Amino acid sequence: MELLRDLWAFMKERKKWWLGPIILILALFGALLVFTQGSAVAPFIYTLF
């Protein structure tokens, strides 16, 4: 949680709001890969990358 707090403070202080959507998309892709790793959907997800 401290990493998220530091990242938020950095974005707030330096006005780097464009980093928010990028971090969110990367987190969603990471969660998608983790949750579909053992399922039958995994080969279809990996072909996207």
Side-chain angles (χ1 to χ4, degrees), residues 5-23:
R5 196 174 317 128
D6 288 342
L7 186 61
W8 177 256
F10 171 78
M11 289 189 331
K12 187 176 173 185
E13 182 178 324
R14 307 217 183 210
K15 307 288 191 249
K16 302 284 186 184
W17 298 115
W18 54 271
L19 283 174
I22 294 172
I23 294 169

Side-chain angles (χ1 to χ4, degrees), residues 26-44:
L26 287 174
L28 289 174
F29 275 138
L32 180 69
L33 289 175
V34 167
F35 289 129
T36 60
Q37 188 174 11
S39 70
V41 181
F44 301 110

Side-chain angles (χ1 to χ4, degrees), residues 1-7:
M1 278 315 253
E2 186 176 342
L3 175 68
L4 293 176
R5 196 174 317 128
D6 288 342
L7 186 61

